[in-house]
C-alpha cells in the first residue's frame, strides 16, 4: 500500500511540473518531498521516474506542434491555436506577444526539471552499475535535448545542473551560449557511451538517437567534421534504411511502428485518453481538419514535376475546404485553406472510418518522429558540400541524397551544390519544424522578405529574429535575466 501511495505522489509531482502556473518558475522548481522520501527504492520506481522525464517531450512545441514553426517562416501559414507564428512572419514579434516562444521555453524547463529530479534520486534504488548507467544516459540524453531546444532559439540561457534548494536559487543570470553547449556536450558524451547499441524501437533512446542529436547540434553550429563523424557512425551501424513508403514514417496505420527509418520518436496512443495533446485532439484535428498549418505556394513550387512527396504530403483545394483523395474519395470537413493547399503528411487519409464530419473522429495517435535517416543523409551531404567550399562529388553524399530523390521519383544529381542540397532539405524535411532553424543557421532571413504567405500577405523578416526574445513575464520574475539584442 505504501508503495502505491509513493507512486501516486510521484505522479502528482510530475503533473505539477507539466501543468504550468502564472509563476513560470514553478515549471522549473519541482516539489522535492518525494525526492527526499522513500520512493526511490526499486527499479520499478526508477522506470516510473524516467517515464516522467520522457513525458515532458509532450510539452508545447516540443513534439508534433513543433511542425507549426514552419508557419513562422516561408513553408506555411498557421491559424487557430498557432496563429502567433504570424508575429514572426510579419516582423512584429516582441517580448510581450511571444506566446508560442514562452510556451516552448516553459516546456523545455519542465523537462529539465524532471531530468534533474531523476538524476538526483535514481541511484537510491541501488541498481547494478551497468543498468544504472543506462538510466542515467537516458536522462542526460533528454536533458541535452531540452537544453538544445533552448540554445538554438535563445543562445545563452540559464543552466540548472541540479534541483535548486529553493525558488531563489532559480533567479540567476543566464550562461553564455558556449557554456550551454559545453554542458550539453557533457550530457551527450555520457549518453553515447552508455545508451544501448541497439536499433531504436521502444520509445527509449538508444546510442544512435544520441548520435543523431550530436549530429543536429554540430550541423546547427557548422562543425562539419563532427557532423560527418556522427552521421557516419549512425549509417555504418547498418540498423536503419529509408522507408519505401513516403507516409509510413509518419502514419500509425501505414507502418510507422515497424518503419526502418526512425531513430527516435515520441510515442502516443490512439485512444481519447492518450492522444497527442493528452486531452481530446492531436495533429489530425489541428493540422488537417482545422487547417492549423497549411503549406505556402512558395513551398509547393520548390518541388519538381512528378515528385511523389507532393501528392503524398499535400493536396490542392480549389474551394479552400475540400480534400479529394487520388481515388476520388471526397472529404469536405477541412476548414478554410487560405493558401489553397492542405497538409496530409500526418493524416491517415486512407482510413475511411476516421474521416467523418465530427472533429473527434480523426484522432489516430501517430508517434511524432524527432530523428529519421533521411535527415541523417542530408546532414552528411550538407557537411561534405560545406567542407568542399559549396560543392561536392563525394560518392556517399551523392548516394544518400540520390536515394532520397529516387524514393521521391525525381532525377539523381551528379554533383551536389549548396543550393540544391538546401532545396532538397527544404523539400524532404518540410513541416517537421526544422525550416526556421535552417533559415537561422544559413542566415538567409532577408531572402524571405516579400514572399507571399497567402493572398496579399507577405513576409517581413527582421534579423533580430535569429534569436528569440525572453518573455516580459519571465524577465519580471528573474531580474538577473538579460534580454536578447533587439527586443
Amino acid at each position: 500500500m505504501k508503495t502505491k501511495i509513493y507512486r501516486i505522489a510521484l505522479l502528482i509531482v510530475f503533473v505539477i511540473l507539466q501543468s504550468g502556473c502564472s509563476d513560470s518558475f514553478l515549471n522549473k522548481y519541482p516539489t522535492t518531498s518525494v525526492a527526499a522520501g522513500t520512493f526511490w527504492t526499486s527499479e520499478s520506481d526508477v522506470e516510473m521516474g524516467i517515464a516522467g522525464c520522457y513525458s515532458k517531450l509532450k510539452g508545447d512545441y516540443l513534439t508534433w506542434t513543433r511542425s507549426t514553426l514552419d508557419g513562422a517562416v516561408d513553408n506555411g501559414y498557421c491559424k487557430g491555436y498557432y496563429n502567433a507564428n504570424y508575429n514572426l512572419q510579419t516582423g512584429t514579434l516582441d517580448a510581450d506577444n511571444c506566446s508560442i516562444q514562452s510556451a516552448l521555453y516553459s516546456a523545455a524547463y519542465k523537462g529539465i526539471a524532471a531530468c534533474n529530479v531523476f538524476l538526483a534520486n535514481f541511484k537510491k534504488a541501488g541498481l547494478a552499475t551497468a543498468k544504472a548507467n543506462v538510466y542515467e544516459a537516458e536522462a542526460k540524453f533528454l536533458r541535452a535535448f531540452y537544453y538544445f531546444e533552448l540554445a538554438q532559439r535563445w543562445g545563452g540561457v540559464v543552466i540548472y545542473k541540479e534541483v535548486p534548494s529553493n525558488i531563489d536559487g532559480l533567479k540567476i543570470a543566464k550562461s553564455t551560449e558556449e557554456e550551454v553547449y559545453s554542458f550539453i556536450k557533457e550530457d551527450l558524451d555520457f549518453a553515447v557511451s552508455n545508451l544501448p547499441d541497439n536499433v531504436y524501437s521502444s520509445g527509449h533512446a538508444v546510442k544512435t538517437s544520441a548520435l543523431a542529436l550530436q549530429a543536429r547540434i554540430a550541423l546547427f553550429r557548422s562543425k562539419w567534421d563532427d557532423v560527418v563523424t556522427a552521421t557516419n557512425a549512425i549509417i555504418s551501424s547498418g540498423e536503419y534504411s529509408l522507408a519505401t513508403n513516403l507516409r509510413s514514417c509518419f502514419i500509425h496505420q501505414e507502418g510507422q511502428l515497424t518503419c526502418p527509418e526512425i531513430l527516435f520518436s515520441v510515442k502516443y496512443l490512439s485512444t481519447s485518453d492518450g492522444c497527442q495533446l493528452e486531452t481530446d485532439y492531436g495533429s489530425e484535428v489541428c493540422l488537417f481538419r482545422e487547417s492549423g498549418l497549411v503549406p505556402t505556394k512558395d513551398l509547393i513550387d520548390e518541388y519538381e514535376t512528378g515528385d511523389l512527396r507532393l501528392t503524398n504530403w499535400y493536396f490542392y483545394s480549389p474551394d479552400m475546404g475540400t480534400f479529394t483523395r487520388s481515388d476520388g474519395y471526397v472529404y469536405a470537413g477541412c476548414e478554410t485553406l487560405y493558401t489553397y493547399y492542405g497538409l496530409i503528411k500526418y493524416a491517415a487519409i486512407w482510413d475511411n472510418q476516421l474521416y467523418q464530419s465530427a472533429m473527434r473522429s480523426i484522432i489516430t495517435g501517430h508517434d511524432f518522429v524527432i530523428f529519421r535517416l533521411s535527415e541523417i543523409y542530408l546532414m552528411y551531404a550538407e557537411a561534405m558540400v560545406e567542407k568542399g567550399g559549396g560543392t561536392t562529388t563525394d560518392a556517399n553524399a551523392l548516394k544518400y541524397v540520390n536515394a532520397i530523390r529516387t524514393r521521391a521519383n525525381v532525377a539523381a544529381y551528379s554533383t551536389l551544390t549548396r543550393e540544391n542540397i538546401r532545396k532538397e532539405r527544404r523539400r524532404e524535411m518540410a513541416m517537421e519544424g526544422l525550416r526556421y532553424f535552417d533559415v537561422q543557421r544559413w542566415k538567409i532571413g532577408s531572402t524571405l522578405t516579400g514572399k507571399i504567405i497567402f493572398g496579399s500577405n507577405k513576409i517581413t523578416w527582421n534579423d533580430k529574429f535569429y534569436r528569440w526574445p525572453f518573455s516580459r513575464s519571465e524577465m519580471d520574475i528573474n531580474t538577473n535575466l538579460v534580454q536578447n539584442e533587439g527586443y
Side-chain angles (χ1 to χ4, degrees):
M1 184 63 182
K2 282 186 177 180
T3 300
K4 182 177 182 181
I5 291 171
Y6 290 141
R7 289 178 181 173
I8 291 172
L10 184 62
L11 287 173
I12 291 171
V13 171
F14 284 128
V15 168
I16 290 171
L17 286 171
Q18 192 170 353
S19 63
C21 180
S22 59
D23 182 345
S24 64
F25 271 43
L26 295 183
N27 296 328
K28 313 183 200 74
Y29 181 62
T31 301
T32 56
S33 58
V34 171
T38 57
F39 176 81
W40 304 90
T41 59
S42 67
E43 186 170 4
S44 62
D45 294 343
V46 174
E47 288 174 350
M48 187 176 295
I50 198 66
C53 298
Y54 279 102
S55 74
K56 302 306 174 291
L57 289 169
K58 297 180 181 180
D60 290 333
Y61 305 97
L62 290 177
T63 51
W64 69 267
T65 45
R66 75 192 300 127
S67 294
T68 66
L69 297 177
D70 273 31
V73 279
D74 55 349
N75 272 4
Y77 168 69
C78 292
K79 64 184 182 67
Y81 309 108
Y82 311 113
N83 188 245
N85 282 301
Y86 198 59
N87 295 336
L88 203 154
Q89 281 184 319
T90 55
T92 60
L93 176 69
D94 59 34
D96 295 304
N97 66 10
C98 56
S99 59
I100 285 176
Q101 290 74 20
S102 180
L104 192 147
Y105 186 86
S106 176
Y109 274 115
K110 291 176 188 177
I112 290 164
C115 292
N116 284 343
V117 169
F118 179 87
L119 289 167
N121 291 281
F122 82 100
K123 289 184 179 179
K124 296 175 183 177
L127 302 179
T129 301
K131 185 170 288 186
N133 283 346
V134 172
Y135 283 115
E136 183 175 354
E138 288 187 79
K140 288 187 172 180
F141 163 78
L142 292 169
R143 188 167 64 176
F145 178 86
Y146 294 130
Y147 268 116
F148 180 53
E149 291 296 299
L150 295 168
Q152 63 183 334
R153 293 166 169 87
W154 284 276
V157 294
V158 177
I159 296 177
Y160 303 109
K161 295 185 178 182
E162 55 189 25
V163 180
S165 59
N166 53 57
I167 289 180
D168 287 338
L170 294 161
K171 300 179 181 181
I172 59 178
K174 64 183 181 182
S175 297
T176 66
E177 185 173 356
E178 285 303 317
E179 288 170 336
V180 176
Y181 279 112
S182 177
F183 184 51
I184 290 172
K185 183 179 184 301
E186 290 177 20
D187 275 356
L188 270 184
D189 285 348
F190 186 89
V192 168
S193 297
N194 291 279
L195 285 171
D197 193 6
N198 302 327
V199 64
Y200 171 79
S201 63
S202 67
H204 288 267
V206 294
K207 181 176 182 176
T208 45
S209 308
L211 286 167
L213 180 54
Q214 280 188 330
R216 187 180 283 178
I217 293 170
L219 187 82
F220 186 75
R221 307 191 73 206
S222 301
K223 295 182 178 295
W224 309 122
D225 288 338
D226 291 345
V227 174
V228 171
T229 298
T231 53
N232 268 336
I234 294 167
I235 297 167
S236 64
S237 74
E239 295 173 338
Y240 304 95
S241 60
L242 290 183
T244 55
N245 180 343
L246 279 164
R247 295 171 53 78
S248 66
C249 200
F250 312 102
I251 308 297
H252 182 82
Q253 295 91 327
E254 298 184 34
Q256 188 179 59
L257 292 181
T258 57
C259 179
E261 191 169 335
I262 300 172
L263 284 82
F264 185 67
S265 63
V266 181
K267 297 289 187 178
Y268 288 97
L269 303 175
S270 58
T271 57
S272 60
D273 65 344
C275 66
Q276 289 172 323
L277 275 188
E278 305 308 313
T279 53
D280 62 351
Y281 57 101
S283 61
E284 297 251 3
V285 171
C286 296
L287 304 186
F288 175 70
R289 183 194 183 279
E290 294 182 347
S291 308
L293 173 63
V294 293
T296 61
K297 189 175 186 298
D298 186 79
L299 171 63
I300 297 298
D301 288 346
E302 283 280 27
Y303 292 89
E304 299 156 87
T305 301
D307 194 321
L308 295 177
R309 291 171 291 197
L310 267 175
T311 52
N312 277 271
W313 295 348
Y314 315 101
F315 65 95
Y316 174 66
S317 179
D319 65 359
M320 301 175 71
T322 299
F323 164 60
T324 302
R325 206 166 58 190
S326 59
D327 63 353
Y329 178 88
V330 176
Y331 176 75
C334 294
E335 297 181 5
T336 308
L337 297 158
Y338 287 106
T339 66
Y340 290 93
Y341 293 95
L343 176 67
I344 53 173
K345 193 171 189 176
Y346 304 106
I349 59 172
W350 295 100
D351 191 332
N352 291 353
Q353 292 184 343
L354 293 173
Y355 292 90
Q356 310 299 321
S357 59
M359 180 191 302
R360 304 300 190 251
S361 67
I362 55 174
I363 299 169
T364 49
H366 312 310
D367 299 338
F368 186 82
V369 178
I370 301 292
F371 299 112
R372 60 189 183 99
L373 185 62
S374 60
E375 184 190 1
I376 303 304
Y377 281 174
L378 289 167
M379 287 195 283
Y380 174 88
E382 182 177 342
M384 295 307 297
V385 164
E386 295 302 331
K387 282 167 63 67
T391 185
T392 188
T393 56
D394 176 77
N396 283 331
L398 285 165
K399 174 184 175 182
Y400 302 150
V401 173
N402 287 334
I404 293 169
R405 290 178 60 81
T406 297
R407 178 172 68 173
N409 193 43
V410 287
Y413 289 131
S414 57
T415 300
L416 288 177
T417 66
R418 181 176 291 126
E419 180 182 9
N420 60 35
I421 193 64
R422 290 183 177 185
K423 284 180 175 291
E424 197 60 40
R425 182 172 171 87
R426 186 184 183 191
R427 289 184 286 247
E428 178 67 16
M429 308 309 298
M431 305 310 201
E432 296 182 39
L434 297 174
R435 176 62 176 172
Y436 165 78
F437 304 109
D438 289 343
V439 169
Q440 181 189 33
R441 64 192 180 81
W442 294 332
K443 296 294 186 289
I444 60 169
S446 61
T447 68
L448 274 56
T449 293
K451 284 189 175 186
I452 298 293
I453 305 169
F454 71 93
S456 61
N457 296 277
K458 298 180 181 180
I459 294 175
T460 301
W461 177 263
N462 188 317
D463 279 352
K464 70 180 182 180
F465 295 158
Y466 290 132
R467 286 283 181 262
W468 283 359
F470 296 102
S471 70
R472 186 80 60 199
S473 60
E474 189 70 26
M475 295 197 66
D476 287 344
I477 295 167
N478 183 1
T479 55
N480 291 311
L481 192 60
V482 177
Q483 183 61 274
N484 279 331
E485 186 176 353
Y487 299 100

